Amino acid sequence: MTPSVAPLAIPLLLLVAMHWSAQFLATQSSRLFGRRLQLYLFGLLGTIVHEGSHIVACVLFRHRVHRITWFDPRATNGALGSVEHSYDPASAYQRVGTIAIGIAPLVVGAAVILWAAQRLLGISLADVDLANASVSAVEAVSTAMSRALGAPLWRWALFAYVSISVGGSMRLSASDVRGTWRGVVTLTIWSAAALTAAALVWWVLQQTAPTEWDTNVLPRLQHGLQWLTRTSESVSIAMLLAVAINTLCALILMLPARAR
């Protein structure tokens, strides 16, 4: 069965949804607790995860880290933390790395929330297998939530804290987005070059060895696409969980304000 390319675009849409849901959560928690108390209650852990994700991505893509601010609630520019880094503009790999560094807080934040759901509530990706047509998404989620409801109250409280703190920091700053443009250009060129090369290889093989493409090349491409699709589904589940948690927590925090 040929895998669909559509699921590969879902994480990109969820990245946008995650950014806005985190903004919504941060706004509601700030209104309820006040800016300063909200920062110390929920901003510390989330900011450390946010900046730590930037650092990990910098290391992976060989960027040079110059200065790290883990948490500064007194910052006048609104940035609770920062990572100053530089890279070689001549390196295509490091330019593409600007994309990973920019969106790292979203991906790592989703991974942390998913890990917390696994460790504290017993929810796992195996409970929601989008590739299993015999089990509907509603049934899978219901099974996972039934197991989670059996978790002790202290586990739910700890999970809620992690969700609010980390989830509230899963948003991109202007500098995060601004620094990715070189990587986007490079990645677009790479993608166009890869598609052109694949088309050229297909044409050459059709002229010289018609069976080679179908017997050797196409199966490898399908295997790679299947792996990307499975990875996309796993990432989508984690991000969807994070978006739902951010939105739910923000709505809950709105209740005390409306009750006044």
Side-chain angles (χ1 to χ4, degrees):
M1 181 179 63
T2 303
S4 172
V5 181
L8 302 179
I10 295 177
L12 297 179
L13 298 177
L14 287 174
L15 285 176
V16 177
M18 194 182 307
H19 170 77
W20 289 110
S21 66
Q23 290 276 33
F24 181 39
L25 174 57
T27 299
Q28 297 305 320
S29 59
S30 180
R31 287 177 179 174
L32 180 62
F33 300 108
R35 174 66 175 169
R36 190 169 185 82
L37 180 59
Q38 184 263 345
L39 290 181
Y40 280 101
L41 283 177
F42 304 109
L44 178 59
L45 176 61
T47 302
I48 291 176
V49 172
H50 185 111
E51 303 308 331
S53 66
H54 284 316
I55 296 171
V56 171
C58 283
V59 173
L60 291 177
F61 286 89
R62 299 186 300 182
H63 284 223
R64 178 174 296 179
V65 177
H66 301 286
R67 184 171 179 269
I68 304 170
T69 301
W70 288 104
F71 183 66
D72 183 11
R74 297 171 297 180
T76 57
N77 60 357
L80 298 179
S82 63
V83 176
E84 298 179 9
H85 60 97
S86 62
Y87 64 96
D88 181 7
S91 170
Y93 178 74
Q94 293 186 32
R95 289 201 304 272
V96 171
T98 60
I99 301 176
I101 293 169
I103 68 174
L106 301 180
V107 178
V108 173
V112 169
I113 289 178
L114 182 60
W115 177 84
Q118 291 174 327
R119 302 296 295 178
L120 296 174
L121 305 182
I123 297 176
S124 69
L125 291 179
D127 295 325
V128 188
D129 186 1
L130 301 182
N132 187 356
S134 63
V135 179
S136 68
V138 175
E139 291 174 340
V141 172
S142 297
T143 301
M145 290 308 298
S146 296
R147 182 180 302 144
L149 290 175
L153 183 60
W154 71 268
R155 287 179 178 266
W156 271 101
L158 183 56
F159 176 70
Y161 175 77
V162 172
S163 300
I164 294 175
S165 183
V166 176
S169 296
M170 289 166 58
R171 59 187 189 275
L172 304 182
S173 64
S175 60
D176 291 338
V177 177
R178 187 169 54 248
T180 64
W181 73 270
R182 290 180 182 270
V184 171
V185 172
T186 302
L187 187 59
T188 301
I189 294 174
W190 277 10
S191 299
L195 291 175
T196 303
L200 181 60
V201 169
W202 173 84
W203 182 84
V204 170
L205 290 178
Q206 289 299 310
Q207 303 304 314
T208 58
T211 61
E212 185 68 20
W213 177 269
D214 293 332
T215 58
N216 292 318
V217 179
L218 187 57
R220 288 182 171 85
L221 292 178
Q222 290 178 328
H223 180 73
L225 186 56
Q226 288 173 349
W227 180 84
L228 286 175
T229 301
R230 289 195 301 269
T231 302
S232 172
E233 290 176 349
S234 298
V235 172
S236 295
I237 292 171
M239 291 184 178
L240 186 60
L241 178 62
V243 170
I245 290 170
N246 284 354
T247 305
L248 178 61
C249 290
L251 292 175
I252 291 175
L253 292 177
M254 288 178 64
L255 297 178
R258 290 186 176 275
R260 292 175 181 175

